[in-house]
Amino acid sequence: EVVLTQSPDFQSVTPKQKVTITCRASQNIGTSLHWYQQKPDQSPKLLIKYASQSMSGVPSRFSGGGSGTDFTLTVNSLEAEDAATYYCHQSSFLPMTFGQGTRLDIK
Amino acid sequence: QVLLQESGPGLVKPSETLSLTCTVSGGSISTYCWSWVRQPPGKGLEWIGYVYDSGSTNYNPSLKSRLTISVDTSKNQFSLRLTSVTAADTAVYYCARSRTGRNFFDPWGQGNLVTVSS
């Protein structure tokens, strides 16, 4: 199965800071990589589909990029409400798999 | 707006069968693919398997021998059945929609915590 490795596992950031989360796939998955935000006691919410396509209603400070095996989720000018765990997910191969998650803490 | 709602027992005994149902409202269950994803407490997400409205399925090999996912289009519901559960199956179980079997998940249900304990 495709292993997705996110980095970092945890990051503490200040408001208005820029943060980049990376997701590395164990094999080429093209652009079949999606990003979710999960806040405590909530279900995951889709932010970015197919590596770089932002979902309707998602703030423009969220952007995604990459292809093949290396992907990024960037949050520009972080806000307090962005405190959450972020997961990448690949749908290129079955079984579909997720990264281990990156927890963002806002100071 | 399509909404998904999981339902089922919150406590299952070891070696017994875990059964959950996801009810789809605000839209038809037809022409989409429907998945189950689980998340052990404090841990990450694991795709369990999916079912199409036709009844066609695909399962995660790690669970395949114990798993059945089915669909009831007349009730706009799909279901998960996991046999011979152990404490390792304790998790929040989510249902989610995708356009095809290999695709992103949107939307998700709110989740149903299932604890395996005697």
Side-chain angles (χ1 to χ4, degrees):
Chain A
E1 70 179 42
V2 176
V3 177
L4 298 179
T5 304
Q6 292 182 228
S7 61
D9 290 332
F10 171 81
Q11 191 164 1
S12 184
V13 294
T14 55
K16 298 187 180 180
Q17 189 176 340
K18 174 183 175 180
V19 67
T20 297
I21 299 169
T22 66
C23 177
R24 175 161 289 176
S26 60
Q27 57 187 284
N28 190 330
I29 57 172
T31 57
S32 296
L33 191 285
H34 321 292
W35 291 97
Y36 302 85
Q37 176 193 65
Q38 185 178 34
K39 296 182 179 180
D41 297 321
Q42 294 186 18
S43 55
K45 171 189 172 184
L46 180 66
L47 295 178
I48 305 284
K49 62 182 181 181
Y50 290 107
S52 62
Q53 300 175 26
S54 295
M55 294 302 293
S56 174
V58 172
S60 59
R61 62 183 180 273
F62 290 91
S63 63
S67 65
T69 60
D70 293 298
F71 302 86
T72 58
L73 173 69
T74 299
V75 189
N76 285 294
S77 193
L78 270 157
E79 298 189 7
E81 67 180 22
D82 300 332
T85 300
Y86 294 83
Y87 292 94
C88 57
H89 156 225
Q90 70 80 22
S91 62
S92 185
F93 296 98
L94 294 174
M96 288 184 282
T97 50
F98 293 86
Q100 81 277 18
T102 295
R103 185 162 72 91
L104 285 187
D105 177 63
I106 313 297
K107 295 176 185 174
Chain B
Q1 181 188 2
V2 173
L3 294 176
L4 283 65
Q5 177 70 60
E6 305 88 350
S7 59
L11 182 64
V12 180
K13 290 183 169 55
S15 79
E16 295 191 345
T17 297
L18 182 162
S19 295
L20 293 172
T21 296
C22 182
T23 301
V24 179
S25 59
S28 173
I29 203 166
S30 298
T31 72
Y32 284 96
C33 186
W34 306 91
S35 277
W36 290 98
V37 177
R38 70 180 182 178
Q39 184 172 38
K43 296 188 178 181
L45 300 163
E46 179 185 29
W47 174 72
I48 297 171
Y50 67 64
V51 63
Y52 278 95
D53 60 328
S54 63
S56 174
T57 57
N58 196 289
Y59 300 151
N60 192 317
S62 67
L63 297 167
K64 187 174 184 177
S65 63
R66 300 190 290 131
L67 182 63
T68 303
I69 300 177
S70 58
V71 64
D72 186 338
T73 54
S74 67
K75 295 182 178 178
N76 243 30
Q77 294 177 334
F78 63 104
S79 299
L80 173 151
R81 187 171 178 269
L82 186 66
T83 62
S84 304
V85 297
T86 68
D89 296 309
T90 293
V92 176
Y93 286 76
Y94 295 101
C95 56
R97 186 186 75 172
S98 59
R99 290 180 183 172
T100 62
R102 291 186 289 149
N103 217 316
F104 56 86
F105 300 122
D106 183 55
W108 297 59
Q110 66 183 33
N112 191 124
L113 174 62
V114 179
T115 301
V116 179
S117 175
S118 55

